[in-house]
Amino acid sequence: MKILKTITIPILSTLILQGCGGVPEEKSETAGMENVFSVEEVLEMVAKENDVTRTLYTKAIVGKGKAQGMKFDEDWRKDDVEAGPLPALFLRGVATSIRKGPVPLGLYLGSDFPVNAANKFEGRQAELFKEIKVDQKPKFFYDEGQKLHTAMFADLASAGACVTCHNSHPQTTKSDWKLGDVMGATTWQYPKDSLTYKETVAVLNSYAKGTVDIYLEYLDEIEAFKESEKPEIGIKWPEEGNFLPTAEVFLDSVKKLSSYETMKHLVAAK
């Protein structure tokens, strides 16, 4: 029987107060209730967190892990497949976790040449993606059909593992991807045009929980391996050998790489 572990996810608002030093002032009942961030600002914040997380997972876990003999597969959840999730499936796992939670944040990855035909951009998103491929700048628009504010961010082929996988996939519709290519766009959606401080922190924490959930699912999958050698789970990373970091170590590394810019935005709004 698989048993998913749980870890405590640091609440960003608490971390920010501790990082600023001193004792937090006593707040009124309405503290954090005012809308202080535009939806574009919030989606950019969470997009930057995602960029750091996916780059770390793709390069430090998948790329270095493959060099140690670790396997990653799109069918990683099947009982007869002993592997971890590919980067795109890691993102899908994050999106699934977010969708199950109380925060109305949408996340998915699309392209004009997706491996999965269901992820092909259409309509307004297809038009904006053409612009993203040229300037690699974020695009924002309001989706009238879904009544959701939408933000699209360029998803680049940042590691050899991405290029190799997409070029060789049996369902690929494009087999000449190169490092640095705009492979798709990470798309975020939220129903409101502005968010309170508390809502913003909830969005960021929802994303952090999503990364922990899918990473823990991967570690849980490893425990069920019967044929493959199990990497040692602890404080070490694949670049040091057949090791994988715990979820706490992985999340801590993400926060160290991404929190500065996020904290600047949040502290400025306090």
Side-chain angles (χ1 to χ4, degrees):
M1 178 184 294
K2 296 181 181 180
I3 301 175
L4 284 175
K5 309 173 190 66
T6 58
I7 69 170
T8 301
I9 299 173
I11 304 300
L12 287 176
S13 55
T14 302
L15 291 177
I16 289 164
L17 290 173
Q18 291 174 342
C20 292
V23 178
E25 294 180 6
E26 189 172 324
K27 302 295 181 182
S28 69
E29 291 184 4
T30 59
M33 299 302 291
E34 302 83 5
N35 287 1
V36 293
F37 293 110
S38 68
V39 67
E40 290 84 3
E41 288 179 294
V42 175
L43 296 183
E44 280 199 282
M45 274 190 266
V46 73
K48 288 178 180 177
E49 296 270 331
N50 179 61
D51 283 344
V52 169
T53 304
R54 287 193 67 207
T55 298
L56 185 66
Y57 181 76
T58 300
K59 293 184 176 181
I61 301 295
V62 178
K64 298 295 185 181
K66 282 187 173 181
Q68 299 294 342
M70 298 180 197
K71 297 178 182 179
F72 298 86
D73 194 283
E74 61 184 323
D75 293 321
W76 70 284
R77 283 193 172 99
K78 291 184 177 180
D79 291 339
D80 60 342
V81 177
E82 299 187 347
L86 292 164
L89 299 181
F90 187 89
L91 181 69
R92 186 185 298 174
V94 174
T96 298
S97 172
I98 293 172
R99 189 165 58 247
K100 292 178 179 178
V103 178
L105 177 68
L107 166 64
Y108 59 92
L109 181 63
S111 176
D112 53 352
F113 291 104
V115 169
N116 185 336
N119 296 329
K120 186 170 184 176
F121 284 133
E122 296 181 348
R124 180 66 172 146
Q125 291 191 43
E127 296 173 9
L128 290 175
F129 185 59
K130 291 179 181 178
E131 297 179 19
I132 290 175
K133 292 177 71 175
V134 175
D135 59 24
Q136 297 187 19
K137 294 181 180 179
K139 307 298 175 186
F140 304 93
F141 71 100
Y142 182 69
D143 188 320
E144 290 286 353
Q146 300 184 73
K147 305 300 180 185
L148 292 170
H149 295 273
T150 305
M152 300 172 64
F153 299 87
D155 186 68
L156 305 180
S158 58
C162 301
V163 175
T164 301
C165 178
H166 280 259
N167 282 343
S168 60
H169 195 283
Q171 293 177 240
T172 189
T173 53
K174 179 178 168 64
S175 57
D176 59 349
W177 293 106
K178 304 182 299 297
L179 279 174
D181 282 351
V182 179
M183 301 187 80
T186 305
T187 303
W188 302 82
Q189 295 182 311
Y190 197 81
K192 297 174 61 178
D193 63 0
S194 59
L195 288 79
T196 66
Y197 180 87
K198 289 182 178 179
E199 288 171 332
T200 300
V201 170
V203 164
L204 294 168
N205 282 332
S206 176
Y207 175 76
K209 180 180 183 301
T211 63
V212 169
D213 285 349
I214 184 63
Y215 191 76
L216 282 174
E217 190 175 350
Y218 171 33
L219 297 186
D220 184 65
E221 191 75 15
I222 289 172
E223 286 194 3
F225 284 2
K226 296 178 180 178
E227 304 295 331
S228 305
E229 182 181 358
K230 299 178 183 179
E232 180 181 327
I233 313 299
I235 62 173
K236 294 183 178 181
W237 292 70
E239 67 177 357
E240 300 178 71
N242 193 30
F243 305 105
L244 278 174
T246 63
E248 292 94 336
V249 172
F250 181 78
L251 182 62
D252 184 57
S253 295
V254 170
K255 291 304 170 189
K256 286 179 179 177
L257 292 169
S258 65
S259 288
Y260 177 69
E261 288 298 322
T262 299
M263 286 176 66
K264 275 203 311 183
H265 278 88
L266 293 174
V267 172
K270 292 298 284 181

